Amino acid sequence: MQAFDVLGDPVRRRILELLADGEQAAGAVSRVIRTEFGISQPAVSQHLRVLRQSGFATVRPDGTRRLYAVDSAPLREVDIWLERFRRFWTQRLDALGTELARGRRERRELPDKAAGTSSAGSRPSTKSEEET
């Protein structure tokens, strides 16, 4: 099964999100997934099996429990494949960062203008600042 076939399913993506926080018992994963997606425990087990067989998850026994964890190797392969497409969103994210910074700067300058001080960031000093 191809990586994007595995990741294309919202249930499997959610399971990986849960596992990204650390190793989880199958029962704990099953409870969350059954609640969020309204599917049966056997259906959750099938999704866990697909993740395990495709290499996205590992499992280890711990007494009667089965503990699942993310295996990062297939995710690195996906990351490598996505590398050629990053240029399409990197510039937009950089532009968004610039706009957010501009908005923060403008919000800081508004109180200064209202108080009649310069927009260079100066502000009236307080007694405690003068004493220091």
Side-chain angles (χ1 to χ4, degrees), residues 46-127:
Q46 180 63 33
H47 284 291
L48 286 168
R49 181 178 17 243
V50 168
L51 289 170
R52 190 177 66 246
Q53 290 175 343
S54 63
F56 280 89
T58 61
V59 64
R60 72 176 180 87
D62 181 39
T64 59
R65 300 182 321 159
R66 295 173 62 82
L67 299 175
Y68 283 83
V70 170
D71 186 341
S72 62
L75 293 171
R76 281 192 298 272
E77 292 173 19
V78 169
D79 187 52
I80 290 167
W81 186 85
L82 285 171
E83 184 61 37
R84 71 171 61 134
F85 300 100
R86 279 199 175 80
R87 65 185 167 95
F88 292 111
W89 67 78
T90 301
Q91 288 178 330
R92 288 187 176 116
L93 290 175
D94 290 345
L96 175 61
T98 301
E99 289 302 316
L100 291 172
R102 182 177 295 142
R104 284 191 297 270
R105 185 175 59 246
E106 289 173 358
R107 283 193 301 276
R108 282 193 309 266
E109 291 173 355
L110 283 175
D112 290 342
K113 288 179 182 177
T117 61
S118 74
S119 62
S122 64
R123 57 182 171 79
S125 62
T126 62
K127 184 175 181 179

Side-chain angles (χ1 to χ4, degrees), residues 32-53:
V32 171
I33 297 301
R34 287 186 348 237
T35 300
E36 291 181 8
F37 290 91
I39 62 176
S40 67
Q41 185 276 326
V44 176
S45 293
Q46 180 63 33
H47 284 291
L48 286 168
R49 181 178 17 243
V50 168
L51 289 170
R52 190 177 66 246
Q53 290 175 343

